[in-house]
Amino acid sequence: MKKKQQKRGKYNAKAPLSKKQRKKLEKRGVVIKTRAERERMPREKKWLISLIAAICVLAIACASFGAILLARAIEKAMYDPYASVFDTLKMGKHLNTKELDEDFYTGNIFNFADFEASDSYQPMTMADMDAVIDRVRINHRTLSKELQKQAVIGLGDTVAFYITDLFKGAPETKEEEKANRLVIPSTMQDYFGTYTSPATIVVGDEFFGKDFDQKLIALGAKPEDTVRETRENGKISLSDTVCITYYMNKSKKASSTPYAEEIADRYVWDVQNASVYKDMVRVDLDEQLDARLSQALVDNCPTIGEFFSFVLEDYDITGKGASSKDDYKVTARVVYALTEETTKDITFTVPEIFTESDGDFYALNGKTATMRVTFLYVDDYELPTFDRAFITDTLKMEITATDDAGAVAEYKEKKLAELNEQIAVEKENAKILAALNELVKKAQSSEAFLETTSNTSQIAATIEALVTRTLLERCLRAYGHPPTQAELDEYTVMIANTQGATIADASEYISAVLSSEGKTMLQRELLVYHIFRAEGMKITDAALDKACTDYLDSLVGAMSDPETHNAEYFVQLYGEATLKSQVRRDLVYAMVGEFLLGANRQQTK
């Protein structure tokens, strides 16, 4: 019975007290606490609490949806290199997307015959590898002596010279020389060198082409062989070669009026037809000027170094004949005469470096020419021995061969495969750019571009950054280290010269490129962006990371000191975000390009 009561009590321990139990406990003197009756909540308060709860639920839902939108925005910024710039634009303002359906960029058959035939994209052979090794040795040369006159000019040396004459072909007689002589335009004087500004080249850099460098080395010349002897006083004669400054002005009645009146009565003339101005030019008095002007210079020159003037009556400076004759005032100064000038002739095949704007020089492309030069000095450089130690220690290439001959052979094989892979990539990139440029032309003719002259600072900065990056990379690979501003300016001037342009520094070059090509570049960027998005292309994190690694490897591989200029160096130099942005853009171009080339291959099968 006791166990049963205990069990029941335990079971009912939390049960409410009945009236009977309450009375028994009160008789025993037990004080029983009672709970106060809970007040009822006002209806208004119930509504307020319900409203707050609803708002909280809605806030949670909005936060979740906002997180999704934010994730999409982050994904867009990560995967789309144009997100930070192009997505801020109203694309409809720049592009008529109705003109840019898929048929617009897949309905083209691009013609790449020129790329297939171009020498620039032909695979290299083992026969080319000796020249490659020479280039590597030049890149690792060391200066042994400066301004030598005794050293024979060789591979890797820096040579300063001026060109006294340039002839078509290989003339053998004076008559043939006169018939084939080319006058070097003043705009190309820096390119070919003058007395005051000699041409300076590195033998092996192929500034005037590979054949020129080879013929120069074969010449076995020393600067002392052609050093000039100058005469800076006394009279001149028709047999002299002189360095002279002179100008000729057409004037009224030049032979009969006093000089002061003549100045006031001078015609307004244009440079080409009514005047001649030459500054510090080399002149063979008995060959390069007509007999009348040469004799007048000799007769009127009081002494070398002094200014003098005279009048040429009924004289033609245009070459148009008797109808263009007039009177001219000539003012001149013979800077010095050359008592002795020994020159060397180099007959070589001219590389295709001239454009139509270069006049007569354009016809020299791929033809034989003879350059007559006078050497001034040579910086003598020593080239490293190309052996196993150089390949493994300096070039950091892993070689299995243990002997020098085997190591060189292994290097050639590996380097040949690497170079041909680069050529294939360059060829593919050139095709992509050609295809995109064709699309730009097509879009222009179809009025797909509504506006591409926007002054949006962001997009202008994007295009300028692209031009600057391209220039920096070229200079970086050329020097083998991050260039100083002076080196960048020097390299840029050289690039401009090869393109037939004259600029002062890198900033002027960038401005010139933006001025001439900026609009086309912007249109190309807009098209690439449109195709990339329209085709639903994406760049994964893995692809971006790999591309960044490959890009950094290519930069480091071009450095002469890869241990110092390593991947970490370039990340810190340019910034990780900037590098990723550049690489993303490259990937987008590659993906769009491969898409276009793939469509082209399908149509041309």
Side-chain angles (χ1 to χ4, degrees):
M1 181 70 178
K2 186 177 180 180
K3 288 182 179 181
K4 187 176 180 180
Q5 288 177 345
Q6 287 177 347
K7 184 177 179 181
R8 183 181 296 171
K10 185 177 180 180
Y11 178 80
N12 294 322
K14 293 183 179 181
L17 293 174
S18 64
K19 290 181 179 180
K20 189 177 181 179
Q21 289 174 328
R22 185 181 295 273
K23 286 181 179 180
K24 286 183 177 181
L25 291 173
E26 288 175 348
K27 287 181 179 180
R28 294 177 184 176
V30 176
V31 177
I32 301 173
K33 294 181 179 181
T34 59
R35 182 181 297 175
E37 185 178 354
R38 187 172 59 183
E39 295 181 0
R40 292 188 177 184
M41 182 182 298
R43 180 178 298 178
E44 293 80 0
K45 192 172 182 178
K46 287 183 178 180
W47 278 107
L48 179 61
I49 293 174
S50 299
L51 179 60
I52 293 173
I55 291 174
C56 290
V57 172
L58 183 60
I60 294 172
C62 289
S64 300
F65 184 67
I68 295 173
L69 293 179
L70 180 60
R72 288 182 179 177
I74 293 173
E75 176 184 298
K76 189 175 185 182
M78 289 295 293
Y79 293 154
D80 187 346
Y82 305 98
S84 62
V85 175
F86 283 79
D87 279 359
T88 62
L89 301 176
K90 295 181 179 179
M91 293 300 293
K93 178 181 179 183
H94 300 282
L95 286 172
N96 180 2
T97 55
K98 293 181 180 179
E99 295 282 344
L100 300 176
D101 57 14
E102 187 170 345
D103 289 340
F104 173 86
Y105 44 83
T106 61
N108 292 278
I109 300 177
F110 304 111
N111 186 356
F112 300 121
D114 291 342
F115 295 98
E116 300 298 339
S118 173
D119 291 338
S120 301
Y121 301 114
Q122 297 305 311
M124 300 179 70
T125 67
M126 194 60 72
D128 300 315
M129 296 312 296
D130 287 336
V132 171
I133 289 177
D134 284 342
R135 179 69 262 169
V136 173
R137 295 175 68 208
I138 290 173
N139 287 342
H140 292 82
R141 62 185 182 152
T142 55
L143 184 65
S144 56
K145 301 173 184 177
E146 294 186 6
L147 304 181
Q148 298 297 302
K149 292 185 177 181
Q150 300 292 332
V152 175
I153 296 171
L155 185 68
D157 291 343
T158 298
V159 181
F161 59 90
Y162 62 88
I163 302 169
T164 59
D165 274 308
L166 184 64
F167 309 99
K168 297 177 183 178
E172 296 181 356
T173 65
K174 290 289 185 181
E175 290 73 20
E176 290 179 355
E177 287 183 0
K178 288 183 179 180
N180 292 283
R181 178 179 281 119
L182 292 173
V183 178
I184 301 173
S186 59
T187 55
M188 301 176 69
Q189 290 292 328
D190 289 341
Y191 186 72
F192 287 99
T194 64
Y195 282 132
T196 55
S197 179
T200 304
I201 66 168
V202 175
V203 183
D205 269 352
E206 303 179 14
F207 188 79
F208 291 108
K210 182 178 181 179
D211 193 43
F212 178 88
D213 287 349
Q214 291 177 340
K215 298 291 177 59
L216 175 57
I217 294 171
L219 198 63
K222 300 178 182 178
E224 70 170 5
D225 293 339
T226 55
V227 66
R228 67 180 183 226
E229 298 295 334
T230 61
R231 189 173 75 252
E232 299 181 4
N233 52 52
K235 297 279 289 182
I236 61 173
S237 67
L238 288 174
S239 62
D240 281 335
T241 296
V242 297
C243 179
I244 190 171
T245 294
Y246 68 94
Y247 54 92
M248 302 170 64
N249 290 331
K250 184 172 71 172
S251 59
K252 295 180 180 179
K253 305 295 183 182
S255 60
S256 59
T257 60
Y259 182 66
E261 294 179 17
E262 176 192 324
I263 292 295
D265 204 23
R266 181 175 295 161
Y267 277 128
V268 176
W269 43 265
D270 69 79
V271 173
Q272 181 177 1
N273 295 321
S275 72
V276 169
Y277 176 76
K278 302 290 184 182
D279 183 32
M280 294 287 286
V281 294
R282 174 191 179 278
V283 174
D284 287 329
L285 290 175
D286 62 344
E287 288 189 15
Q288 291 181 287
L289 299 178
D290 65 78
R292 187 179 172 194
L293 177 56
S294 293
Q295 189 63 57
L297 287 169
V298 171
D299 291 344
N300 289 279
C301 179
T303 185
I304 295 173
E306 292 185 15
F307 278 99
F308 59 97
S309 61
F310 56 90
V311 172
L312 281 176
E313 297 180 349
D314 199 28
Y315 185 75
D316 173 29
I317 65 170
T318 65
K320 295 180 180 180
S323 62
S324 62
K325 290 183 178 181
D326 216 309
D327 297 345
Y328 292 88
K329 175 89 171 180
V330 182
T331 302
R333 181 171 78 98
V334 176
V335 184
Y336 52 77
L338 305 179
T339 304
E340 179 182 350
E341 183 184 53
T342 305
T343 58
K344 298 289 185 181
D345 287 354
I346 303 175
T347 301
F348 65 105
T349 301
V350 179
E352 296 188 7
I353 56 176
F354 298 112
T355 64
E356 293 184 17
S357 62
D358 295 323
D360 291 341
F361 285 79
Y362 182 62
L364 289 179
N365 283 340
K367 303 291 178 32
T368 298
T370 298
M371 191 179 288
R372 185 164 292 165
V373 301
T374 295
F375 299 109
L376 299 181
Y377 63 83
V378 57
D379 287 345
D380 189 26
Y381 281 84
E382 294 180 355
L383 302 180
T385 301
F386 200 85
D387 54 15
R388 189 184 188 283
F390 178 80
I391 297 171
T392 57
D393 297 343
T394 304
L395 301 183
K396 307 298 182 184
M397 179 180 284
E398 295 183 2
I399 296 293
T400 58
T402 57
D403 62 309
D404 289 339
V408 172
E410 189 174 339
Y411 171 86
K412 287 183 177 181
E413 186 176 345
K414 289 184 176 181
K415 194 65 178 179
L416 179 62
E418 177 186 325
L419 291 174
N420 280 336
E421 183 178 350
Q422 291 177 3
I423 291 172
V425 170
E426 290 171 1
K427 181 179 178 181
E428 195 80 353
N429 289 339
K431 286 183 176 182
I432 290 172
L433 185 58
L436 289 173
N437 287 340
E438 285 299 316
L439 285 184
V440 171
K441 292 179 182 178
K442 184 179 179 182
Q444 289 170 338
S445 63
S446 67
E447 298 182 351
F449 294 117
L450 302 177
E451 180 197 344
T452 52
T453 57
S454 172
N455 291 324
T456 304
S457 59
Q458 282 182 303
I459 198 166
T462 299
I463 302 301
E464 182 176 352
L466 174 61
V467 176
T468 304
R469 170 196 169 193
T470 302
L471 176 61
L472 283 171
E473 283 190 357
R474 292 178 67 180
C475 189
L476 190 70
R477 297 175 192 278
Y479 279 98
H481 62 262
T484 63
Q485 186 61 51
E487 288 174 330
L488 181 62
D489 290 338
E490 176 187 49
Y491 181 76
T492 308
V493 169
M494 185 186 72
I495 291 175
N497 283 340
T498 61
Q499 297 172 348
T502 302
I503 58 100
D505 52 33
S507 61
E508 188 174 324
Y509 174 83
I510 293 170
S511 297
V513 172
L514 292 174
S515 176
S516 61
E517 302 178 26
K519 181 177 179 180
T520 300
M521 294 175 68
L522 170 56
Q523 291 173 336
R524 195 164 59 228
E525 297 285 319
L526 289 167
L527 275 177
V528 170
Y529 172 76
H530 171 77
I531 296 172
F532 179 76
R533 297 302 303 277
E535 294 299 318
M537 299 178 186
K538 294 289 183 181
I539 300 173
T540 64
D541 289 339
L544 179 59
D545 290 341
K546 183 180 184 304
C548 286
T549 300
D550 292 344
Y551 177 64
L552 288 170
D553 287 345
S554 70
L555 288 179
V556 174
M559 297 298 98
S560 54
D561 183 10
E563 291 185 0
T564 300
H565 303 121
N566 53 23
E568 183 179 354
Y569 171 88
F570 283 107
V571 170
Q572 293 179 350
L573 181 65
Y574 296 117
E576 186 175 2
T578 300
L579 281 171
K580 282 194 172 184
S581 176
Q582 293 174 353
V583 172
R584 286 191 200 104
R585 180 194 175 278
D586 292 344
L587 282 175
V588 170
Y589 259 72
M591 293 172 70
V592 171
E594 289 173 4
F595 170 76
L596 293 176
L597 297 187
N600 184 68
R601 293 188 189 100
Q602 293 174 8
Q603 294 180 42
T604 54
K605 285 184 179 178

